[in-house]
Amino acid sequence: MNEEISRRLREAAEAHEPDRARILARVERGAADPTVRYRTRSIARSWPRAAIVALAVAGTLATGGLAVAAMGGAPAPRAKHHTPAVTSPTVTSTPTPSARRTTTTTAPTSPTTPSRPRPTPSADSRIQDGPLRSEGSIDAHSTIYWAQSNLILHTSQPLTSLTVELRIAQTGDVRDTGNWRTLPSDDFTVTVQESGGALRYRWVLKPGRTVPAGQHEFAAQYNHAVGIRKGTRDSYHVHAQSAGGSSAVWGGFTPTR
């Protein structure tokens, strides 16, 4: 009996061509109208047909599966579209160092032009008095045949009277070759004469003339015996008159190195 039923089911499944559209329509109507009722039959009478229908559906699915397989296999799954997440930019803060290493750069020292050394006054000199300040030196251009003695005179007040005298000791063949000053020559009476073992250069301010405040220079030029002349016995004397009274300075000449 069971074999007969199985055979009939197989034959029915092979011969059955289901109307899929009608089946889906009926399913949809049933889902849409739950009041539709179908006439039920007894289990004894309806089982063979129910079994046949089930087998038919299974056969339909199997046939559809074979057809799909014959066309190239199971349909490829639809690709999922992933929406890329928008990532907000990350701001990385730079830690502030607790201490920064500093480099100290020492500026190069620019070469300085050596200034003319100031003469060292001797024990028997007075280089500053009242508004006057003086400095005597041997000119750097002096040679073994010729020399020049310089006197720089500073005054902080105008002078109404001034006498400057340079004494060049006679050390051998000392002879006058000239003289000059930075003040106007017409303001002075100039004399050069040898007296008391020395060649004396003298500048006397003329009456009514005035020496302004500032720095002024007087120079005596002369020849001498060949060789390095020692001027240890040379000297200068200055006498002046200003609104503050009389003043005087004197001293010697320091060789310029």
Side-chain angles (χ1 to χ4, degrees), residues 146-239:
W146 174 90
Q148 176 175 299
S149 297
N150 301 322
L151 171 63
I152 296 178
L153 183 65
H154 303 264
T155 177
S156 58
Q157 297 178 5
L159 304 177
T160 57
S161 174
L162 177 64
T163 299
V164 177
E165 184 175 279
L166 274 58
R167 301 174 183 176
I168 308 302
Q170 183 57 261
T171 57
D173 296 334
V174 175
R175 296 187 301 273
D176 171 47
T177 60
N179 65 85
W180 55 269
R181 84 260 97 228
T182 56
L183 291 166
S185 59
D186 292 342
D187 289 353
F188 289 89
T189 299
V190 183
T191 59
V192 180
Q193 60 182 5
E194 188 171 351
S195 173
L199 190 61
R200 299 187 180 190
Y201 295 80
R202 191 169 187 167
W203 294 267
V204 179
L205 183 66
K206 294 178 180 180
R209 307 297 175 88
T210 303
V211 174
Q215 175 178 305
H216 312 289
E217 188 170 358
F218 299 82
Q221 300 172 333
Y222 48 90
N223 287 336
H224 58 76
V226 178
I228 298 176
R229 180 181 179 275
K230 295 182 180 180
T232 54
R233 293 190 291 125
D234 298 346
S235 62
Y236 66 86
H237 291 77
V238 179
H239 299 272

Side-chain angles (χ1 to χ4, degrees), residues 18 20 55-75:
R20 298 181 62 185
L55 291 176
V57 172
T60 301
L61 295 176
T63 305
L66 292 175
V68 172
M71 293 176 64

Side-chain angles (χ1 to χ4, degrees), residues 33-152:
D33 188 4
T35 60
V36 178
R37 296 182 178 179
Y38 298 93
R39 186 174 56 185
T40 59
R41 298 179 182 182
S42 61
I43 296 176
R45 296 182 59 183
S46 62
W47 179 85
R49 171 166 282 189
I52 293 173
V53 171
L55 291 176
V57 172
T60 301
L61 295 176
T63 305
L66 292 175
V68 172
M71 293 176 64
R78 296 178 63 185
K80 296 181 179 180
H81 296 281
H82 297 279
T83 303
V86 178
T87 305
S88 60
T90 303
V91 178
T92 305
S93 60
T94 303
T96 303
S98 58
R100 296 180 182 272
R101 183 169 63 180
T102 59
T103 303
T104 302
T105 304
T106 303
T109 304
S110 58
T112 57
T113 303
S115 59
R116 183 174 60 181
R118 299 179 66 87
T120 302
S122 61
D124 60 347
S125 65
R126 185 170 73 182
I127 63 174
Q128 186 169 355
D129 182 35
L132 300 181
R133 181 165 55 86
S134 59
E135 178 182 334
S137 63
I138 303 297
D139 194 87
H141 297 91
S142 300
T143 68
I144 59 174
Y145 308 101
W146 174 90
Q148 176 175 299
S149 297
N150 301 322
L151 171 63
I152 296 178

